[in-house]
């Protein structure tokens, strides 16, 4: 009877593309262990729901353990699922391990959808890993607190994958991929979590991230049909318009899409007791010169690494802190007071700018271009240089990096050449990915503020002087000659990648930041800068 109720609710939700109906009451805490969970009715209901999913999906059979059987222990994992406002909306076991999309792929999809003017929707596959078939013979013990009174010594023989099994992610992805391909979808040639369906003149795009699925298209009928089709095959939670995904807050409007992590920013400020700190206008001072500081006082390594991890997750929508966070992350092995002070300044900067985010305009032209820059011998310990790159789709930033180079460079030309090679590699990946969206590009502009680095790639006469450069970087020259990219000089003032290579003064920092991200206050877009560069820039 419970299954019939769920099916009727699911069908009703699919027809209206509304939210799936869950229990009206949820627990606000996460249990310490199974005995703690069993003391609360809401968590007991959540565990019952999981076991009902097992039965519905025919995950296992209760059998006598065969000779020499070594059953795998089972363990409850409890996690609260929160909404955009931070309220608990569901008590569930979190799922782990599965093929996932790169964050760049998510941002590309958001930009593409905004430019085409269609709204992205979101659905959640309930108990996703229970849908994957396994070939091996696996036995597990009965779940704690739910042992059979009649057969307490029996074990479960698995028919399908279970959370925590190494086979689980592969099995779930294989099942979903097979279903989508049989339904007429085409898998992305580069991104294997991207699936596209063309029907007539309409297109449907599906992006998978573990058990979360983002989808949207040019036809409302096609989108609705896909939702119904998925709900018939799997047990789904239709979550409506995409608003909160992987901690990213997403606001889709007529003028474009705004992506930010304001809630997460406030949460980590509170977590590390920085909520009342004095705000700073930049994430790092130009006078900051971090080194090993072996004579400095050691600080709590666990806390330092926790702060780094929290900030690295925030860089998904905050390119303005990318360089500062990556620089501090180099000292996680033996953090000192000076390193912690530099890290605290980043938090103080976040206190000053909590609501910055990325803007994807509906008026974007979807042209592709990249910027690369480098800081020669910037590391005070090993004198290695830092590469900074960023890639834009139309007027929107979708990919960026700040990374220390692998070897010491002998000249500024070499470090700029190496940085440009890294940018070229990312542009080629994006070009291949965007071809699945039906976008085709000729020579992709790669803007560099070093004429000597451009000459190394263009002028065969200079090749004899660059034999010491690792051969893997010379593919930049090859792709220039093939016509895949076009190396263009840009004056340093217009070099957008400069923000990823070194600390900048306030004026330069805010100018470049304004070309990457925007701020939204009270729902009104503020400080949006759209810039274009000609080949003569």
């Amino acid at each position: 009877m419970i299954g019939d109720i769920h099916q009727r609710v699911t069908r009703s939700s699919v027809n209206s593309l509304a939210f799936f109906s869950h229990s009206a009451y949820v627990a606000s805490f996460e249990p310490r262990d199974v005995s703690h969970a069993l003391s609360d009715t809401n968590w007991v209901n959540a565990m019952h729901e999981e076991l009902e999913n097992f039965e519905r999906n025919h995950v296992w059979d209760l059998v006598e353990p065969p000779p020499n059987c070594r059953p795998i222990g089972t363990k409850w994992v409890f996690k609260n699922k929160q909404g955009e406002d931070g309220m608990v909306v569901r008590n569930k076991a979190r799922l782990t391990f599965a093929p996932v999309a790169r964050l760049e792929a998510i941002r590309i999809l958001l930009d593409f959808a905004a430019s085409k003017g269609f709204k992205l929707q979101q659905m959640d596959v309930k108990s996703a890993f229970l849908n994957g078939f396994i070939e091996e013979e696996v036995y597990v013990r009965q779940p704690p607190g739910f042992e059979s009174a009649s057969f307490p010594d029996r074990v479960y023989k698995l028919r399908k994958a279970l959370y925590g099994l190494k086979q689980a992610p592969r099995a779930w992805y294989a099942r979903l991929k097979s279903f989508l391909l049989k339904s007429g979808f085409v898998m992305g040639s580069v991104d294997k979590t991207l699936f596209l369906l063309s029907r007539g003149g309409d297109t449907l795009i599906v992006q998978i991230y573990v058990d979360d699925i983002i989808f949207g298209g040019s036809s409302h009928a096609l989108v609705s049909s896909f939702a119904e089709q998925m709900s018939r095959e799997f047990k789904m939670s239709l979550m409506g318009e995409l608003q909160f995904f992987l901690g990213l807050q997403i606001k889709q409007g007529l003028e474009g899409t705004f992506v930010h992590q304001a809630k997460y920013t406030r949460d980590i400020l509170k977590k590390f007791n920085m909520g009342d700190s004095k705000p700073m206008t930049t994430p790092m001072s130009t006078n900051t010169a971090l080194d090993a500081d072996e004579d400095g006082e050691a600080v709590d390594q666990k806390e330092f690494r926790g702060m780094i991890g929290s900030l690295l997750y925030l860089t998904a929508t905050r390119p303005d802190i990318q360089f500062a966070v990556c620089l501090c992350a180099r000292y996680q092995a033996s953090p000192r007071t000076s390193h912690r002070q530099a890290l605290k300044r980043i938090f103080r900067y976040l206190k000053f700018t909590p609501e910055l985010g990325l803007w994807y305009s509906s008026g974007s032209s979807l042209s592709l271009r990249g910027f690369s820059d480098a800081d020669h011998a910037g590391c005070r310990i090993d004198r290695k240089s830092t590469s900074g790159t960023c890639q834009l789709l139309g007027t929107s930033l979708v990919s960026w990096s700040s990374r220390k180079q692998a070897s010491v460079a002998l000249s500024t030309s070499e470090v700029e050449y190496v940085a440009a090679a890294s940018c070229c590699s990312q542009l080629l990946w994006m070009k291949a990915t965007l071809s699945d969206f039906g976008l085709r590009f000729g020579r992709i502009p790669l803007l560099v503020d070093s004429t000597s680095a451009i000459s190394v790639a263009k002028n065969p006469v200079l090749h004899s002087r660059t034999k010491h450069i690792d051969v893997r970087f010379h593919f930049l020259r090859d792709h220039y000659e093939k016509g895949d990219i076009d190396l263009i000089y840009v004056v340093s003032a217009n070099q957008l990648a400069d923000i990823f290579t070194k600390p900048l003064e306030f004026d330069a920092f805010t100018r470049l930041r304004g070309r990457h991200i925007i701020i939204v206050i009270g729902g009104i877009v503020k400080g949006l800068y759209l810039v274009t560069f000609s080949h003569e820039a």
Side-chain angles (χ1 to χ4, degrees), residues 268-429:
I268 63 174
L269 285 170
K270 181 180 179 180
K271 177 181 178 181
F272 296 106
N273 299 317
M274 298 293 294
D276 296 326
S277 59
K278 181 181 178 181
M280 298 296 291
T281 56
T282 60
M284 182 166 283
S285 169
T286 55
N287 298 323
T288 300
L290 295 181
D291 55 24
D293 193 16
E294 295 178 354
D295 296 329
E297 181 181 353
V299 298
D300 185 356
Q301 186 185 64
K302 183 178 180 180
E303 181 194 40
F304 188 86
R305 289 182 173 180
M307 296 170 77
I308 289 290
S310 298
L311 290 173
L312 284 173
Y313 184 67
L314 186 57
T315 60
T317 59
R318 295 295 299 265
D320 52 327
I321 65 171
Q322 181 81 36
F323 169 76
V325 174
C326 290
L327 179 60
C328 291
R330 300 175 188 176
Y331 303 98
Q332 294 182 79
S334 182
R336 306 291 175 172
T337 301
S338 59
H339 307 142
R340 192 175 188 277
Q341 287 300 114
L343 202 56
K344 289 177 67 175
R345 178 174 175 128
I346 302 175
F347 280 90
R348 294 170 65 185
Y349 168 70
L350 294 176
K351 173 70 175 177
F352 179 67
T353 59
E355 296 190 357
L356 287 180
L358 299 170
W359 173 253
Y360 297 118
S361 173
S362 59
S364 178
S365 63
L366 294 181
S367 58
L368 182 60
R369 57 187 171 143
F371 293 79
S372 75
D373 196 19
D375 178 37
H376 184 221
C379 181
R380 298 185 62 183
I381 299 176
D382 53 21
R383 308 312 297 178
K384 292 179 181 178
S385 307
T386 299
S387 295
T389 69
C390 61
Q391 295 77 31
L392 289 86
L393 188 56
T395 57
S396 305
L397 184 68
V398 294
S399 178
W400 58 88
S401 70
S402 177
R403 187 175 294 112
K404 187 164 71 169
Q405 295 183 4
S407 57
V408 177
L410 302 180
S411 65
T412 56
S413 300
E414 182 178 341
V415 298
E416 295 280 1
Y417 186 75
V418 170
S422 176
C423 186
C424 175
S425 176
Q426 183 70 357
L427 286 172
L428 294 176
W429 175 84

Side-chain angles (χ1 to χ4, degrees), residues 134-177:
I134 59 174
E135 299 177 359
E136 298 85 348
E137 194 170 278
V138 180
Y139 296 89
V140 299
R141 295 190 180 94
Q142 297 183 49
F146 293 85
E147 294 87 352
S148 170
S150 303
F151 306 103
D153 297 327
R154 289 193 177 186
V155 295
Y156 280 110
K157 180 181 179 181
L158 294 185
R159 292 182 181 180
K160 295 183 179 179
L162 195 63
Y163 317 119
L165 289 180
K166 293 181 180 179
Q167 301 95 322
R170 183 175 66 251
W172 155 241
Y173 176 72
R175 170 84 188 279
L176 180 59
K177 181 180 74 171

Side-chain angles (χ1 to χ4, degrees), residues 181-322:
L181 293 179
K182 287 180 181 178
S183 301
F185 283 83
V186 176
M187 186 168 59
S189 58
V190 177
D191 183 1
K192 302 305 179 183
T193 63
L194 177 69
F195 293 85
L196 301 101
L197 176 67
S198 296
R199 186 166 296 169
D202 294 317
T203 301
L204 176 67
I205 301 175
V206 176
Q207 184 80 64
I208 301 168
Y209 198 100
V210 195
D211 59 331
D212 288 309
I213 298 176
I214 302 174
F215 62 102
S218 54
S219 165
H220 178 74
L222 199 58
V223 171
S224 299
S225 174
F226 171 71
E228 293 176 1
Q229 191 178 20
M230 287 292 289
S231 292
R232 285 195 300 267
E233 183 71 14
F234 309 102
K235 192 171 183 181
M236 311 296 302
S237 296
L238 297 177
M239 306 175 73
E241 183 180 320
L242 180 64
Q243 295 181 330
F244 193 70
F245 182 73
L246 300 178
L248 310 182
Q249 295 170 256
I250 301 168
K251 298 186 183 299
Q252 302 180 76
L254 295 177
E255 296 181 354
T257 299
F258 179 56
V259 187
H260 64 107
Q261 292 171 280
K263 176 186 177 299
Y264 178 77
T265 301
R266 292 190 292 268
D267 288 345
I268 63 174
L269 285 170
K270 181 180 179 180
K271 177 181 178 181
F272 296 106
N273 299 317
M274 298 293 294
D276 296 326
S277 59
K278 181 181 178 181
M280 298 296 291
T281 56
T282 60
M284 182 166 283
S285 169
T286 55
N287 298 323
T288 300
L290 295 181
D291 55 24
D293 193 16
E294 295 178 354
D295 296 329
E297 181 181 353
V299 298
D300 185 356
Q301 186 185 64
K302 183 178 180 180
E303 181 194 40
F304 188 86
R305 289 182 173 180
M307 296 170 77
I308 289 290
S310 298
L311 290 173
L312 284 173
Y313 184 67
L314 186 57
T315 60
T317 59
R318 295 295 299 265
D320 52 327
I321 65 171
Q322 181 81 36

